[in-house]
């Protein structure tokens, strides 16, 4: 694994936490050794220098380095979604290996420094020392593994709470922006003027328009703060808006729905379609395109739910990235998609195939 790929699995705070835990263990170990020295003849006890260097310093460096590698591996285990049985088996093997590694490093250091002549080295004696503390190595290892998993669990919980807070904030902001920018005063004034005209010409239609405006505002203001809703509920909210648009634009706007009814219970981001429709109307009309046809399509293409909003109006000169930089509503949509699905989505605005004219907005989200 290259260092650049390895770097994303390294968490300095976790490594410092592990080092702090083992340092605390070493302090208890030193206090125990000091007590034993006061209770037993110094001749049978290891000198302080040897104890601090071999049993504390070298042991500390080896264990912390080893556990740092385990922390990196554990993060990969979590990303790979390994089963708990597999993870426990792996950690059990690693808990045995750490004792062997420490024992071999001490033996090698003793041979290099001449404390144990190579000819006198006995593997059986080294194995005996390893087995003497195997239970302690096991407990220390799994105590540190517990710290690692607790650390990542708490971190994931905090990130999930932070992400949920961001989604809730964005949803509230979306509703407010729909009232302050997407539902600008001219929209309400035009709608109310249309109602006033209809009151003299077609009272029943005027009543229906008032009901649509009331229903649309009610869905925005008083619905639950849900980040995802069923497609059926999203289309119901959209229907109020489309009815109002039909009154405003009369015969100059045609809405075509191509919805797969089997997808009505699938989840979609709340308040997704309305800003797409408004964007299509805003940029679709021109002096050369006074009659606009908008097609709303929702289909399944495993593993995606594909949402398309297309018009036959004016083509766009800007690229998708430039539109996201300048369009508040589009930026909001993209941010919410990213927070909901991370990188597991597709969002693009482009001109339709050459010769057909118009603009198409395509969104692909996981089908669930």
């Amino acid at each position: 694994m290259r260092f650049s790929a390895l770097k994303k699995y390294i968490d300095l705070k976790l490594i410092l936490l592990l080092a702090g835990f083992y340092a605390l263990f070493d302090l208890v170990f030193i206090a125990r050794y000091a007590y034993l020295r006061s209770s037993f003849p110094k001749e049978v006890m290891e000198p302080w220098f040897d104890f601090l260097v071999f049993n504390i310093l070298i042991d500390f460096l080896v264990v912390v380095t080893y556990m740092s590698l385990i922390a990196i591996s554990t993060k990969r285990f979590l990303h790979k979604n390994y089963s708990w049985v597999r993870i426990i088996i792996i950690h059990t093997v690693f808990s045995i290996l750490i004792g062997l590694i420490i024992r071999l490093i001490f033996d090698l250091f003793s041979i290099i420094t001449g404390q144990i002549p190579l000819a006198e080295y006995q593997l059986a004696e080294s194995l005996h020392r390893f087995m003497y503390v195997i239970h302690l190595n096991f407990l220390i290892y799994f105590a540190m593994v517990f710290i690692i998993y607790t650390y990542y669990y708490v971190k994931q919980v905090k990130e999930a709470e932070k992400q949920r807070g961001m989604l809730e904030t964005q949803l509230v902001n979306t509703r407010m922006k729909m009232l302050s920018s997407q539902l600008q005063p001219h929209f309400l004034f035009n709608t109310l003027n249309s109602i006033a005209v209809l009151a003299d010409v077609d009272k029943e239609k005027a009543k229906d328009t008032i009901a649509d405006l009331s229903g649309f505002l009610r869905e925005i203001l008083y619905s639950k703060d849900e980040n995802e809703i069923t497609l059926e509920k999203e289309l119901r909210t959209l229907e109020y808006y489309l009815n109002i648009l039909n009154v405003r634009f009369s015969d100059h706007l045609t809405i075509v729905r191509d919805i797969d009814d089997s997808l009505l219970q699938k989840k979609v981001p709340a308040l997704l379609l309305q800003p797409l429709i408004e964007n299509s109307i805003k940029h679709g009309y021109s002096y050369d395109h006074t009659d606009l046809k908008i097609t709303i399509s929702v289909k399944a293409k495993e593993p995606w739910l594909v949402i398309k909003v297309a018009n036959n109006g004016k083509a766009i000169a800007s690229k998708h990235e430039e539109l996201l930089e300048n369009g508040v509503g589009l930026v909001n949509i993209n941010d919410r998609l990213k927070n909901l699905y991370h990188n597991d989505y597709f969002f693009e605005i482009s001109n339709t195939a050459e010769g057909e004219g118009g603009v198409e907005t395509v969104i692909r989200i996981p089908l669930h």
Side-chain angles (χ1 to χ4, degrees):
M1 182 186 297
R2 295 181 179 178
F3 179 75
S4 57
L6 180 64
K7 189 176 180 181
K8 67 178 181 179
Y9 293 106
I10 298 175
D11 193 320
L12 183 59
K13 289 183 179 179
L14 176 57
I15 293 174
L16 291 176
L17 182 62
L18 294 172
F21 169 80
Y22 201 66
L24 183 61
F25 170 83
D26 279 342
L27 288 175
V28 175
F29 191 22
I30 292 172
R32 172 181 176 272
Y33 183 76
Y35 172 81
L36 292 176
R37 281 184 66 89
S38 65
S39 303
F40 293 92
K42 290 185 173 56
E43 293 77 18
V44 300
M45 300 297 294
E46 189 177 14
W48 269 112
F49 178 83
D50 292 343
F51 172 79
L52 292 175
V53 171
F54 298 105
N55 293 346
I56 300 298
L57 180 59
I58 296 178
D59 179 77
F60 177 85
L61 294 175
V62 172
V63 171
V64 171
T65 300
Y66 188 87
M67 293 311 301
S68 297
L69 296 176
I70 297 301
I72 294 171
S73 300
T74 299
K75 194 170 185 179
R76 295 195 68 196
F77 293 164
L78 294 174
H79 284 185
K80 296 290 184 179
N81 292 321
Y82 288 166
S83 67
W84 280 107
V85 174
R86 185 176 181 182
I87 290 175
I88 290 173
I89 292 174
I90 291 173
H91 281 306
T92 300
V93 173
F94 282 175
S95 69
I96 297 173
L97 284 177
I98 186 173
L100 287 173
I101 291 172
I102 293 174
R103 187 70 263 157
L104 290 175
I105 289 176
F106 280 157
D107 289 348
L108 181 61
F109 187 84
S110 299
I111 292 172
I112 292 174
T113 57
Q115 297 181 46
I116 302 177
L118 181 60
E120 298 178 11
Y121 177 74
Q122 295 182 3
L123 182 60
E125 176 65 18
S126 181
L127 182 61
H128 174 73
R129 292 182 178 181
F130 162 72
M131 294 301 297
Y132 185 76
V133 295
I134 189 172
H135 64 292
L136 185 60
N137 290 332
F138 183 88
L139 289 175
I140 293 174
Y141 177 89
F142 274 94
M144 299 185 81
V145 166
F146 177 79
I147 291 175
I148 292 171
Y149 276 95
T150 302
Y151 175 87
Y152 282 132
Y153 175 79
V154 172
K155 188 174 183 179
Q156 288 177 353
V157 169
K158 288 183 178 179
E159 288 177 351
E161 290 177 349
K162 181 179 179 181
Q163 189 176 77
R164 188 178 69 175
M166 290 175 61
L167 287 171
E168 290 175 352
T169 300
Q170 283 192 331
L171 187 58
V172 172
N173 289 340
T174 300
R175 289 195 173 115
M176 291 304 99
K177 287 174 182 176
M178 287 178 68
L179 290 175
S180 62
S181 61
Q182 294 171 354
L183 280 178
Q184 293 175 8
H186 75 266
F187 172 84
L188 291 175
F189 292 151
N190 289 337
T191 303
L192 293 173
N193 286 334
S194 299
I195 293 172
V197 172
L198 287 172
D200 295 328
V201 179
D202 190 337
K203 293 183 179 180
E204 291 300 318
K205 195 170 183 178
K207 291 179 181 179
D208 291 340
T209 305
I210 293 173
D212 287 328
L213 180 59
S214 174
F216 183 55
L217 294 174
R218 182 176 60 251
E219 289 291 338
I220 295 174
L221 292 174
Y222 299 112
S223 61
K224 294 181 180 178
D225 290 337
E226 298 171 297
N227 296 316
E228 288 183 296
I229 59 176
T230 62
L231 176 62
E232 183 179 28
K233 184 175 181 180
E234 176 73 3
L235 291 174
R236 185 171 65 246
T237 302
L238 182 67
E239 197 64 28
Y240 294 126
Y241 181 72
L242 295 179
N243 290 340
I244 296 171
L245 290 180
N246 283 329
V247 172
R248 287 181 55 199
F249 294 97
S250 187
D251 297 332
H252 297 286
L253 177 65
T254 303
I255 304 293
V256 178
R257 300 162 183 80
D258 184 15
I259 312 295
D260 185 343
D261 291 340
S262 65
L263 303 174
L264 291 178
Q265 297 307 311
K266 299 298 181 182
K267 294 288 188 176
V268 298
L271 306 176
L272 176 67
L273 290 173
Q274 187 273 337
L276 294 180
I277 299 295
E278 186 185 16
N279 187 70
S280 188
I281 292 175
K282 180 179 178 181
H283 297 286
Y285 279 114
S286 69
Y287 290 110
D288 299 323
H289 301 86
T290 56
D291 293 316
L292 195 65
K293 176 183 176 182
I294 294 178
T295 302
I296 306 168
S297 171
V298 182
K299 302 290 183 180
K301 188 175 181 181
E302 292 288 350
W304 305 106
L305 181 69
V306 182
I307 300 170
K308 294 182 182 180
V309 175
N311 67 34
N312 63 343
K314 182 179 64 174
I316 55 174
S318 303
K319 295 182 179 179
H320 174 73
E321 293 76 11
E322 295 174 346
L323 291 173
L324 288 185
E325 290 178 359
N326 299 321
V328 175
L330 298 179
V331 171
N332 187 277
I333 291 173
N334 190 64
D335 287 344
R336 286 199 294 138
L337 289 172
K338 188 171 184 178
N339 277 300
L340 279 170
Y341 310 113
H342 303 290
N343 292 322
D344 194 23
Y345 75 95
F346 177 85
F347 177 33
E348 185 176 73
I349 303 171
S350 61
N351 293 320
T352 55
E354 186 176 354
E356 296 182 6
V359 176
E360 182 179 70
T361 301
V362 179
I363 293 177
R364 290 198 297 264
I365 59 177
L367 185 62
H368 67 283

